[in-house]
Amino acid sequence: MQVPSTSMRGGIVIRRAVARDAKRLTRLVRGSRAYGGQYAAMVAGYRVGPDYVETHRVFVAVDADDAAGRVLGFYSLVLVPPELDLLFVQDGMQGRGIGRLLVEHMMSEARAAGLDRVRVVSHPPAEGFYRSVGALLTGTVAANPPAVAWDRPELEFLIQ
């Protein structure tokens, strides 16, 4: 079992996810408006399982003032090969700095793990966000129908 670690800023706590968070994270992914329309098929059957949470460095941002610990967003850092696998912010909470806070936390975790770079294969509409928080465009990942019917930007965070 992983030992949860936490950090706090501005009423938002970032803590290590635990297996019992998996269903909430799955709902956040599947319910994301960013994956509506042409992108809906990509997340329709997606599942963040307890085994995934236990295997990778998954962190959740929660509202410190909410007794239920409402999840505002989360990310998953895969160490081998180094990749930001998932990053989602709850609909209605975007534009409040939560994504930026999650990226800063991810960079700190990557640095602590001894990584010098972290790859991101981005959802096309999220490319601007990743670039705004310091990721560099490195290429394009070709479509892989039927699950992913569009090319996706490939970016990289340099860890210093």
Side-chain angles (χ1 to χ4, degrees), residues 65-147:
D65 299 324
D66 183 330
R70 181 170 63 117
V71 174
L72 305 174
F74 79 100
Y75 77 87
S76 171
L77 176 62
V78 175
L79 298 181
V80 180
E83 183 169 359
L84 177 60
D85 188 37
L86 300 168
L87 189 146
F88 281 83
V89 174
Q90 187 79 340
D91 289 345
M93 298 306 293
Q94 289 135 356
R96 298 180 185 199
I98 296 166
R100 182 174 296 276
L101 185 61
L102 288 167
V103 168
E104 289 171 4
H105 192 275
M106 180 277 300
M107 298 277 281
S108 176
E109 284 293 310
R111 192 175 305 106
L115 303 177
D116 64 351
R117 59 194 65 232
V118 174
R119 175 182 187 237
V120 179
V121 178
S122 177
H123 178 47
E127 178 184 356
F129 165 75
Y130 286 116
R131 292 178 80 160
S132 78
V133 293
L136 305 171
L137 185 64
T138 59
T140 302
V141 175
N144 184 17

Side-chain angles (χ1 to χ4, degrees), residues 2 16 49-58 76-79:
Q2 300 169 343
R16 190 80 180 247
D51 53 336
Y52 182 90
V53 171
E54 292 293 331
T55 302
H56 302 295
R57 293 186 184 204
V58 181
S76 171
L77 176 62
V78 175
L79 298 181

